Amino acid sequence: MLGWKRNIIFLVLLQLLLGLAYLERIPRIYIDEIWDSSLGYSLANEGSLRHPSIEGFGGSDIHYVPPRVVLPVVCAAIFKVTGYSITASRIGSVLFGTLATVSFYAVMRRWFGEKQGFFIVLAFIIHPWFFEVNRCSRPEIYCTALALVFLWLMVVFFDSGSRRSAFFAGVFAGLSSLSHPNGLILVFAISCVLIVWQRGKLLLHLIPWAIMGLAITVLPYVIYVLRAIQDPQVSFTGQMLINALHKSLVQAEITRWKIFLQLPEGIPLAIIMLVSWIMACYRSTAADKAIAAIVVIFVLILPFATVNYIGRYLFATIPFFSALIVRLIWRLTADRNLLLQNWCKLRYAISTGIAAIYLLTCLTFIGLMFYCLRGADFTRVINRVASVVGSKSSVYGNPIFWLGHDQYKYGPYLITHEDLLLQDAIKMVSKHRFDYAVRTAWFGAPPVGIARPPLAMPGFRDNSIDDWVCRKFGTKIDEFQDPYYGPIEIYKLNWEKGPH
């Protein structure tokens, strides 16, 4: 009894230590963090779920309707207490990282015992993707943590037949699905695998109670959406980008996996992940096969359910890959029926090598993030912009500059689509008669990871509305270089000015 409590305390403290240190600065602020946390800001200060500074995205400035509402609700509760800041917006992610740590350990302890469960969750906590996602105001950690609670409750149900466990499994399935559509995919994968593994045992007890919990959780959101779309300017399909599904599917997935595996630097870890999955299907336990199957189902469904090819969408597989890798190491040292039965020293050498590569790769990444980005304070950039434009001026620029909304008037920012002509986009922007515009060297989002920002400002880019506005209507009045966010220029705008 004392052993598992000690394990939990150590794992949670480690997760909090890695999650809270330099939280405002590491990683660099990601544009999607503003997208999500500003919803919480509106909810906390206006009582409405909408983007306070976005225009042209299916009416999201009126009502935001996609199923990723858990993070805004959590952030709104935090902002009510602390006010808005980068740190406050990220605290919720750290808390849900703690929830993921505890619930995943509960499952792994049941399946593989205290020692293996401890090392599996330790491998999860130090994985580079967990380190980053656990510190970002993005929904990946929310939907994954809630899905892991769902997994734990499902395991408890199949062990005990508890109707309470079935009911709350439905509740957390709903919460995970309302955190992000990927949560629904992960919950579906877990459900399929566990039901098949248990051969439908107690299914008649599970379904009605789980559906009841799911319905109670999801129904308020459904009612909210049905009311929101009564406004003709609000489009559920437009905000979900339904029409963009399945475009360039193969190429998008190749790009996603390259980002996720951090190729070519991540080749050693990628090989270990692949081998661990293959070996989970060879002379393994039912639990090993279940974990491998969850990964496969999630990965196969994901391309057909998302229009975004970012690598962090595969974060949901990290806890399961962590389990597979530790299980591979454990089986190599203890299971003589696995491989190389008569080569004990070789099996120990291979398992030690796998553990060393994994540990070295993970700790090197975390160490580099702390070393390279410890000074990446975006408030320094905001303060410089605010000192130039003044508190009463309206500012147009990348949505990341909404962070300075309390020091100047920001936005709205136009979210464009491929079918929107540049001339029409400029007309939509010019009607607001902004006083200033901010131009950055990076396009779309700041550099990720430890990548260095551009050293010089590029020429005006034809595919950037921001650049067109600055070139056509602006006069540069200030420029500065931030060591972590690169060159930044500030333009005074004159809307009577012609092309030059």
Side-chain angles (χ1 to χ4, degrees), residues 240-260:
M240 290 292 290
L241 299 178
I242 299 296
N243 296 332
L245 286 173
H246 316 321
K247 291 184 178 180
S248 305
L249 196 63
V250 175
Q251 185 59 46
E253 285 309 295
I254 291 174
T255 302
R256 188 198 310 282
W257 280 93
K258 283 183 177 179
I259 297 171
F260 175 66

Side-chain angles (χ1 to χ4, degrees), residues 26-44:
I26 303 172
R28 272 175 287 215
I29 190 71
Y30 188 65
I31 186 171
D32 285 7
E33 295 188 73
I34 307 306
W35 178 270
D36 287 289
S37 64
S38 64
L39 291 168
Y41 177 86
S42 293
L43 192 58

Side-chain angles (χ1 to χ4, degrees), residues 69-351:
V69 297
V70 174
L71 185 153
V73 170
V74 172
C75 281
I78 295 172
F79 297 158
K80 279 287 189 181
V81 177
T82 67
Y84 183 89
S85 66
I86 296 174
T87 299
S89 69
R90 290 176 167 182
I91 283 291
S93 298
V94 178
L95 295 177
F96 273 76
T98 305
L99 181 63
T101 298
V102 174
S103 55
F104 192 47
Y105 177 76
V107 176
M108 294 298 102
R109 175 174 171 262
R110 277 178 176 262
W111 283 357
F112 304 116
E114 287 183 14
K115 288 185 178 180
Q116 290 188 66
F118 172 81
F119 284 108
I120 286 170
V121 179
L122 179 62
F124 178 38
I125 291 172
I126 66 171
H127 193 283
W129 273 113
F130 181 85
F131 173 78
E132 182 172 337
V133 170
N134 180 52
R135 299 168 61 90
C136 283
S137 184
R138 279 277 309 173
E140 285 79 22
I141 190 64
Y142 285 76
C143 68
T144 303
L146 293 166
L148 290 175
V149 177
F150 167 75
L151 170 61
W152 174 50
L153 290 167
M154 288 284 282
V155 170
V156 171
F157 169 78
F158 282 118
D159 285 348
S160 65
S162 166
R163 293 178 179 179
R164 181 182 298 178
S165 297
F167 174 81
F168 281 105
V171 169
F172 279 91
L175 289 173
S176 181
S177 302
L178 292 178
S179 298
H180 194 277
N182 291 352
L184 176 61
I185 303 173
L186 185 55
V187 164
F188 176 78
I190 291 170
S191 301
C192 290
V193 169
L194 291 188
I195 290 172
V196 171
W197 180 9
Q198 298 297 326
R199 300 179 182 178
K201 183 179 70 172
L202 300 174
L203 201 57
L204 293 178
H205 292 159
L206 171 68
I207 291 177
W209 287 97
I211 289 178
M212 186 185 304
L214 178 67
I216 290 174
T217 305
V218 174
L219 186 59
Y221 165 75
V222 174
I223 294 173
Y224 162 74
V225 172
L226 291 176
R227 293 182 63 181
I229 61 177
Q230 298 304 308
D231 190 314
Q233 298 181 76
V234 178
S235 169
F236 182 81
T237 57
Q239 293 187 34
M240 290 292 290
L241 299 178
I242 299 296
N243 296 332
L245 286 173
H246 316 321
K247 291 184 178 180
S248 305
L249 196 63
V250 175
Q251 185 59 46
E253 285 309 295
I254 291 174
T255 302
R256 188 198 310 282
W257 280 93
K258 283 183 177 179
I259 297 171
F260 175 66
L261 297 173
Q262 295 292 291
L263 301 180
E265 292 84 359
I267 287 177
L269 192 54
I271 293 173
I272 292 173
M273 292 167 65
L274 177 61
V275 172
S276 70
W277 184 88
I278 293 172
M279 296 308 297
C281 304
Y282 177 73
R283 293 183 179 181
S284 59
T285 67
D288 291 306
K289 292 182 174 66
I291 293 171
I294 290 171
V295 171
V296 168
I297 295 173
F298 180 85
V299 166
L300 290 178
I301 295 176
L302 182 63
F304 300 96
T306 178
V307 299
N308 201 324
Y309 56 81
I310 58 176
R312 67 183 60 236
Y313 276 10
L314 290 168
F315 168 73
T317 66
I318 290 299
F320 305 103
F321 271 120
S322 300
L324 295 179
I325 291 170
V326 172
R327 284 289 294 156
L328 174 61
I329 295 170
W330 210 275
R331 292 171 66 205
L332 279 170
T333 57
D335 187 357
R336 294 187 177 182
N337 293 320
L338 182 61
L339 286 173
L340 306 169
Q341 292 91 335
N342 300 321
W343 298 76
C344 183
K345 291 183 178 181
L346 182 57
R347 286 191 286 113
Y348 272 100
I350 294 173
S351 62

